[in-house]
Amino acid sequence: MRLLDKYLIFSSIFAMFTEDFSFHLGIDWKLFYLILSVNFILLLVKKSLSIHKNLFILLSFFLVHGIVMYLIKGNSVFSLIAQLIGISISSIYYYNLLKIYGTKTLFKKYQQIAFYVALFAIPMFFLNINVFTPGRLNGIMSEPAHFAALMLPALYAFFRQKNFFKAFIILIVIILSKSTIGFVGLFLIVVIPLLKVKHFLKYSIVALILTLFGVYYISSNWNEKTDEKEGNVYVRRVKETKESLSAIYTGKFKKYTNLSSYALLSNTFITQNIFFQNPLGTGLGSYKQEYEKRYEKLHPPKYLLKLNQSKINSQDANSLFLRITADLGIFGLLIILYFAFRSVNLFQKDDKIIQQSSFFYLIVKLLREGHYFPPEFYFLTLVFLKDFDEDNTYS
């Protein structure tokens, strides 16, 4: 393999782990943008670039739908253009990269880099280097949740490939991240095989033990006194989330609602308001503007007003599911239903380990992260949708 090919493969995959490599000069410049821009030109010069017809249709729909809705709603069109440019460049680039080099080659490089990033993150954690919050691991990533989400496909693939040492290392760092999203992903990795009858007996005992342990742990600590700084953090979050669920319908929050629960519940409240008033959506990139129109309906905890955190995640809805629902309405829900349909079919095939592994990232992405073009999103989405080794010749 030529040096240029090795560079394109390594840099394109490493770019997925560089969200925290940035500097501010007028705007935030990220290393990912630089790598993608340079590599896009290299692919354009050295290789022939193309766009799949389905991707072209989807991007065209986003454009037409966005223009129509922005004309109706009177929002700024610049947000639509910015989102379309980011989505188009990222998706077209990774589509061509996968088309040229194939799924197996690129995913193997992803696994290698994920392992070394995880290995490097352990001493970083204990030496308190680049720690997002005390006691939580995020390695070279900007947040524990992002770190855990990006590690999930590697964990599943290593485990299915019986590379248990590397799987164990990645499992440890996900646990050390103490990310709710990470734990949800781990739970799904255990539970999903149960959906196949032949694996039920094999995994049911493990799943039952983990579930009983979780229930016992929460219930045995339920009556302990907790406040914003003391007490069991997991029990406190479960309690506060349970007591705050009514805010989804009322917009009124308890004074002690934690920031994570508030971020999810407040954006759920805003999203359901947008959806019921605009079932066809309000256009790609419109969430921030629609949020501002409805912000006065929220009654945040006073401490969040003092911390200037009452509009947390107003840019991205805290969840890709919520943002798609708000921006695209019924069309967004159809996209999510298609994802669910593909997922069910995918897990009926034992040999689709790579495609299956990407599912665990995408499902937690729907639950937690609302950005439309983080570095890794389109690579893992395209891996999920298509096995590029099946009908492509590449060097």
Side-chain angles (χ1 to χ4, degrees), residues 13-22 30 32 110 113-114 116-118 120-122 124-125 129-133 136-153 173-174 177 361 369 374-377 380:
I13 301 303
F14 178 71
M16 293 160 47
F17 297 85
T18 62
E19 64 171 12
D20 205 29
F21 293 73
S22 63
K30 295 188 176 183
F32 170 66
Y110 154 73
I113 294 176
Y116 285 113
V117 168
F120 190 57
I122 295 174
M124 289 180 66
F125 172 71
I129 299 173
N130 193 43
V131 174
F132 180 72
T133 53
R136 299 182 66 189
L137 178 150
N138 55 281
I140 61 173
M141 305 289 285
S142 62
E143 293 184 24
H146 298 169
F147 180 89
L150 188 50
M151 288 291 157
L152 288 170
V173 295
I174 292 176
S177 74
Y361 164 82
E369 300 178 29
E376 72 285 348
F377 180 56
L380 291 170

Side-chain angles (χ1 to χ4, degrees), residues 144-206:
H146 298 169
F147 180 89
L150 188 50
M151 288 291 157
L152 288 170
L155 171 63
Y156 179 81
F158 279 134
F159 179 76
R160 288 290 308 275
Q161 293 162 357
K162 301 188 186 308
N163 194 332
F164 297 121
F165 173 73
K166 291 183 177 180
F168 177 73
I169 293 296
I170 293 180
L171 174 63
I172 290 299
V173 295
I174 292 176
I175 292 173
L176 288 176
S177 74
K178 298 179 182 177
S179 165
T180 303
I181 284 301
F183 292 134
V184 169
L186 294 178
F187 176 77
L188 290 174
I189 286 175
V190 173
V191 169
I192 290 296
L194 295 178
L195 300 179
K196 299 180 70 173
V197 176
K198 68 178 182 178
H199 292 318
F200 181 81
L201 293 177
K202 183 178 178 181
Y203 292 102
S204 59
I205 296 176
V206 176

Side-chain angles (χ1 to χ4, degrees), residues 40 96 122 143 147 181 192 196 243 283 285 304 319 333 371:
F40 203 102
N96 281 276
I122 295 174
E143 293 184 24
F147 180 89
I181 284 301
I192 290 296
K196 299 180 70 173
E243 294 172 357
L304 289 180
S319 155
L333 296 181
H371 291 295

Side-chain angles (χ1 to χ4, degrees), residues 73-347:
K73 302 297 296 182
N75 293 321
S76 170
V77 76
F78 292 109
S79 180
L80 169 65
I81 295 172
Q83 299 301 317
L84 270 175
I85 291 174
I87 291 172
S88 299
I89 292 175
S90 298
S91 58
I92 292 172
Y93 175 76
Y94 278 108
Y95 168 75
N96 281 276
L97 193 76
L98 283 159
K99 183 180 178 183
I100 293 167
Y101 296 110
T103 300
K104 290 180 181 177
T105 298
L106 293 173
F107 196 83
K108 182 179 179 180
K109 182 61 65 176
Y110 154 73
Q111 285 183 271
Q112 291 174 350
I113 294 176
F115 172 70
Y116 285 113
V117 168
L119 202 61
F120 190 57
I122 295 174
M124 289 180 66
F125 172 71
F126 288 107
L127 294 174
N128 204 36
I129 299 173
N130 193 43
V131 174
F132 180 72
T133 53
R136 299 182 66 189
L137 178 150
N138 55 281
I140 61 173
M141 305 289 285
S142 62
E143 293 184 24
H146 298 169
F147 180 89
L150 188 50
M151 288 291 157
L152 288 170
L155 171 63
Y156 179 81
F158 279 134
F159 179 76
R160 288 290 308 275
Q161 293 162 357
K162 301 188 186 308
N163 194 332
F164 297 121
F165 173 73
K166 291 183 177 180
F168 177 73
I169 293 296
I170 293 180
L171 174 63
I172 290 299
V173 295
I174 292 176
I175 292 173
L176 288 176
S177 74
K178 298 179 182 177
S179 165
T180 303
I181 284 301
F183 292 134
V184 169
L186 294 178
F187 176 77
L188 290 174
I189 286 175
V190 173
V191 169
I192 290 296
L194 295 178
L195 300 179
K196 299 180 70 173
V197 176
K198 68 178 182 178
H199 292 318
F200 181 81
L201 293 177
K202 183 178 178 181
Y203 292 102
S204 59
I205 296 176
V206 176
L208 180 62
I209 291 173
L210 291 175
T211 302
L212 291 176
F213 175 78
V215 172
Y216 172 76
Y217 180 79
I218 296 294
S219 61
S220 62
N221 292 280
W222 189 261
N223 294 321
E224 288 185 9
K225 184 178 180 181
T226 58
D227 56 33
E228 293 176 6
K229 296 182 179 180
E230 298 180 357
N232 189 295
V233 63
Y234 302 110
V235 175
R236 185 171 72 246
R237 286 193 173 189
V238 172
K239 279 185 177 181
E240 292 172 352
T241 301
K242 176 179 178 294
E243 294 172 357
S244 300
L245 283 176
S246 61
I248 293 175
Y249 309 102
T250 64
K252 298 178 181 179
F253 292 87
K254 306 288 185 181
K255 63 180 181 180
Y256 48 76
T257 302
N258 68 67
L259 184 61
S260 297
S261 297
Y262 173 77
L264 175 61
L265 297 173
S266 62
N267 282 282
T268 302
F269 172 79
I270 295 293
T271 296
Q272 57 97 10
N273 269 269
I274 295 174
F275 179 78
F276 287 124
Q277 293 174 11
N278 307 275
L280 296 181
T282 55
L284 200 70
S286 65
Y287 185 79
K288 170 64 175 176
Q289 297 163 77
E290 294 295 325
Y291 181 101
E292 293 293 342
K293 294 175 184 178
R294 295 164 176 81
Y295 173 71
E296 62 182 19
K297 296 181 179 180
L298 288 174
H299 301 274
K302 290 183 179 180
Y303 84 93
L304 289 180
L305 292 170
K306 292 179 181 179
L307 294 174
N308 198 30
Q309 292 287 332
S310 62
K311 294 184 179 181
I312 186 171
N313 292 119
S314 61
Q315 297 278 0
D316 62 8
N318 188 251
S319 155
L320 189 61
F321 171 78
L322 294 178
R323 192 173 185 185
I324 288 176
T325 302
D327 283 0
L328 302 177
I330 293 173
F331 304 110
L333 296 181
L334 290 175
I335 291 174
I336 293 167
L337 285 174
Y338 176 71
F339 167 70
F341 173 77
R342 287 294 295 262
S343 299
V344 171
N345 286 342
L346 186 61
F347 279 94

Side-chain angles (χ1 to χ4, degrees), residues 362-374:
L362 294 173
I363 192 68
V364 299
K365 169 77 176 173
L366 280 172
L367 294 174
R368 173 64 180 82
E369 300 178 29
H371 291 295
Y372 279 132
F373 46 94

